[in-house]
């Protein structure tokens, strides 16, 4: 369930004009930017960007880029891109980052395993258009084996997207996965094959069979294999398939916990899930942490950035 | 280059009405079916199918199925489907066939390596819609390793589709492929990785480097590895990437040579390439065999089936 609030039929031309006004003259009217863009869904934002281009022969994203700054700028830009372009840019930034911890690599897993097959293909298309090579090629040049192999297989999937479960296959494939996981060989061909070709509903049943047959959940078993990057990536894979809201609640928690805030991760989780399941992420956060996600974000952020995130969370700023 | 001849702006409604008339009453007017459908491009055929459905609340494909028969029926149906649906059906038929020689397996390679990335994704989408599972899942359940692994990687690709070649990478990857090919390990991870992620222009340069550096072309070297199904599949992969017209000229030759005709392969090659490169296939056929492809097809086929294939080849029947 989505958290954002948006009117039924706003006028893209009126919105584009109001944004133009907000960007003109001395300083920028950030409040106006937040109250317009933060309350429009992806289709509406696309129409606004088009109307803005038609009216002023200027890309709205470029204009916002020159007007805004810091984490607020980054969040507004990500929100203004078409979702496929946004995710292609996030993937590219993660792959080109000098650091390749789970913080970066999980971005690729989220796109591959917590998106619809149709969206994943759209991201791959956008990636080719923006960066002159395929997403797979960039994974290969920037990520080392064995994680490389897992990520390439996952982003290459085009899963069946309806709820169709074969209980015998689920049971059989839970058995197939058992041995390599016991042997701590998480990049085993068969494990990767199952995780990157089966539909999400089928995989959830396979995970359930695994737990029923072996007494422990597959993510617990994966985490028991070690604390390396391979184990972390595989755990994110299972979570993104099984309960993405749990994964994103953890991303948000990790981003704000302790000293300092990981704004990039926080922004990504809110912006990418606001129209998908952020309401469930909020509930999951509360269940796990026994505290309010919204309050935690309010405590850790400030200014226009905070107001923008809160607007995406449905607050009436 | 395409071989079919089609008018600029035919009326889909008039075409649908003429097809309806051809299918009504005692017997079917096959000549009318050929002269209408055989002279319309994919977009025009799609509009005819839609107009037919709107006018008569009946699927044109179903009607043709009940009116026509034999190889002629099969060719007309394949031609009437949307190209993505057609290829999904061809792939499914190949995978479900009890026999799995190169005759069947090459169908999957053609779709993966002799199509645009966009078309390949459309085929995967159509496959899911038609057969309630992904193309990859059906490859896995119907093809044994090591060919299975190669086909899954190839159909999962979404290659960059512009002409962009990195000469250093081409040279480097020719070297990478050399060792496993020398060791006759054609399903080596690195070989499969290169063939299933690089863009077609890049791969053609890699094949050229291979030939320049090692004195023999990569397809010759692959064929020298043995006469098994793995070698045959890999040779088709290289040909479909390097010069698809050569591959399809060979398919047509093999279909008509000797005793009897393999009508399924002949139909597939003509129907699938008529709007892409059948003119080049014809030229390649002549270069290789020093005889006319059209005459060879005329000698080996008859009746409406022959007339339909000839119409797709641009003849004025």
């Amino acid at each position: 369930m989505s958290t954002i609030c948006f009117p039924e039929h706003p006028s893209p031309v009126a919105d584009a004009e109001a944004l133009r006004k907000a960007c003109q003259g001395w300083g920028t009217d950030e409040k106006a930017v937040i109250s317009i863009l933060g309350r429009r869904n992806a289709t509406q934002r696309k129409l606004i960007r088009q109307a803005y281009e038609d009216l002023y022969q200027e890309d709205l994203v470029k204009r916002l880029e020159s007007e805004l700054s810091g984490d607020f700028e980054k969040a507004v830009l990500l929100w203004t891109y078409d979702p496929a372009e946004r995710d292609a840019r996030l993937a590219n930034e993660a792959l080109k980052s000098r650091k390749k911890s789970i913080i970066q690599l999980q971005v690729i897993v989220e796109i591959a395993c917590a998106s619809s097959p149709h969206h994943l293909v759209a991201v791959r298309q956008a990636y080719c258009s923006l960066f002159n090579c395929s997403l797979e090629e960039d994974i290969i040049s920037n990520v080392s084996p064995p994680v490389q192999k897992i990520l390439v297989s996952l982003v290459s999937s085009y899963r069946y997207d309806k709820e169709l479960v074969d209980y015998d296959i689920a049971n059989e494939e839970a058995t197939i996965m058992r041995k390599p996981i016991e042997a701590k060989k998480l990049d085993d061909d068969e494990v990767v094959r199952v995780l990157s070709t089966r539909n999400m509903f089928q995989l959830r049943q396979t995970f359930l069979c695994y737990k029923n047959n072996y007494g422990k959940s597959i993510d617990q078993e994966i985490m028991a294999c070690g604390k390396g990057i391979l184990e972390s990536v595989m755990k994110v894979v299972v979570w993104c398939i099984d309960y993405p809201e749990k994964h994103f609640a953890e991303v948000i928690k990790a981003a704000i916990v302790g000293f300092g805030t990981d704004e990039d991760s926080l922004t990504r989780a809110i912006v990418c899930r606001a129209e998908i399941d952020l309401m469930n992420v909020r509930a999951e956060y509360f269940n796990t942490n026994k505290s309010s996600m919204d309050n935690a974000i309010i405590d850790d952020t400030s200014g226009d950035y905070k107001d923008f995130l809160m607007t995406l969370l449905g607050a009436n700023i």
Side-chain angles (χ1 to χ4, degrees), chain A:
Chain A
M1 258 177 91
S2 162
T3 48
I4 65 159
C5 305
F6 52 90
E8 280 287 305
H9 300 290
S11 154
V13 169
D15 283 345
E17 287 170 346
L19 285 168
R20 176 72 167 188
K21 207 172 147 217
C23 292
Q24 270 175 333
W26 188 255
T28 311
D29 182 355
E30 285 87 358
K31 299 276 167 286
V33 170
I34 295 170
S35 78
I36 299 167
L37 286 175
R39 296 209 178 86
R40 299 293 182 271
N41 68 24
T43 312
Q44 294 168 344
R45 299 194 302 277
K46 192 173 184 163
L47 292 173
I48 294 174
R49 199 175 164 190
Q50 189 54 56
Y52 192 95
E53 177 89 45
D54 293 346
L55 284 171
Y56 309 112
Q57 286 75 53
E58 184 185 57
D59 182 0
L60 174 61
V61 170
K62 291 258 174 293
R63 185 60 189 252
L64 292 169
E65 211 170 359
S66 72
E67 295 286 333
L68 313 176
S69 66
D71 297 318
F72 175 55
E73 176 198 347
K74 196 158 181 190
V76 171
L77 295 189
L78 285 177
W79 184 248
T80 308
Y81 291 130
D82 176 76
E85 180 182 354
R86 174 200 71 209
D87 283 357
R89 291 183 183 277
L90 285 170
N92 184 258
E93 190 185 291
L95 291 171
K96 300 295 173 181
S97 154
R98 288 178 65 186
K99 224 181 136 190
K100 292 283 186 335
S101 74
I102 187 66
I103 301 278
Q104 288 77 38
L105 296 177
Q106 68 186 352
V107 176
I108 313 293
V109 178
E110 289 165 6
I111 293 168
C113 301
S115 306
S116 73
H118 181 76
H119 180 72
L120 173 56
V121 164
V123 173
R124 294 172 79 188
Q125 290 173 327
Y127 200 97
C128 284
S129 304
L130 289 167
F131 305 112
N132 286 344
C133 75
S134 68
L135 174 55
E136 305 86 278
E137 285 178 293
D138 264 354
I139 292 173
I140 291 165
S141 13
N142 294 287
V143 181
S144 323
V147 174
Q148 179 196 97
K149 166 183 161 183
I150 294 164
L151 295 184
V152 169
S153 289
L154 291 173
V155 302
S156 301
S157 70
Y158 187 84
R159 303 170 197 273
Y160 181 66
D161 69 345
K162 303 213 171 51
E163 191 163 347
L164 187 71
V165 175
D166 183 317
Y167 292 86
D168 292 337
I169 290 181
N171 202 39
E172 195 184 298
E173 296 191 333
T175 313
I176 288 176
M177 298 221 272
R178 175 65 175 171
K179 264 204 176 162
I181 291 175
E182 266 197 317
K184 303 190 178 187
K185 211 178 148 6
L186 299 183
D187 67 325
D188 173 80
D189 281 354
E190 284 291 277
V191 172
V192 175
R193 192 264 298 166
V194 171
L195 292 175
S196 63
T197 60
R198 293 302 185 191
N199 79 60
M200 296 306 185
F201 305 95
Q202 177 72 33
L203 284 172
R204 286 174 201 148
Q205 181 60 32
T206 305
F207 297 160
L208 194 63
C209 286
Y210 193 102
K211 189 170 181 180
N212 291 343
N213 297 350
Y214 305 113
K216 270 193 177 170
S217 67
I218 192 161
D219 51 324
Q220 286 178 305
E221 296 263 82
I222 286 168
M223 286 187 279
C225 289
K227 292 197 182 310
I229 191 76
L230 175 61
E231 291 81 12
S232 305
V233 165
M234 288 297 275
K235 179 223 147 195
V236 174
V237 170
V238 172
W239 281 33
C240 281
I241 290 169
D242 212 8
Y243 18 62
E245 62 276 17
K246 196 165 167 179
H247 166 73
F248 285 101
E250 195 179 74
V251 168
I252 293 171
K253 179 71 180 171
I256 55 189
V257 85
F259 234 32
T261 308
D262 171 4
E263 285 85 2
D264 283 353
S265 298
L266 178 61
T267 302
R268 188 185 79 250
I270 304 287
V271 165
C272 295
R273 305 311 285 193
E275 289 176 272
I276 301 178
D277 57 3
L278 199 51
M279 198 74 95
N280 307 344
V281 174
R282 177 189 275 145
E284 184 59 44
Y285 188 101
F286 188 82
N287 284 343
T288 313
N289 303 293
K290 309 291 171 233
S291 63
S292 147
M293 180 178 90
D294 296 39
N295 288 346
I297 296 172
I298 290 170
D299 287 347
D300 248 50
T301 56
S302 63
D304 298 321
Y305 177 54
K306 177 180 81 179
D307 290 349
F308 185 62
L309 294 187
M310 286 298 118
T311 304
L312 299 190
L313 280 157
N316 202 356
I317 304 286

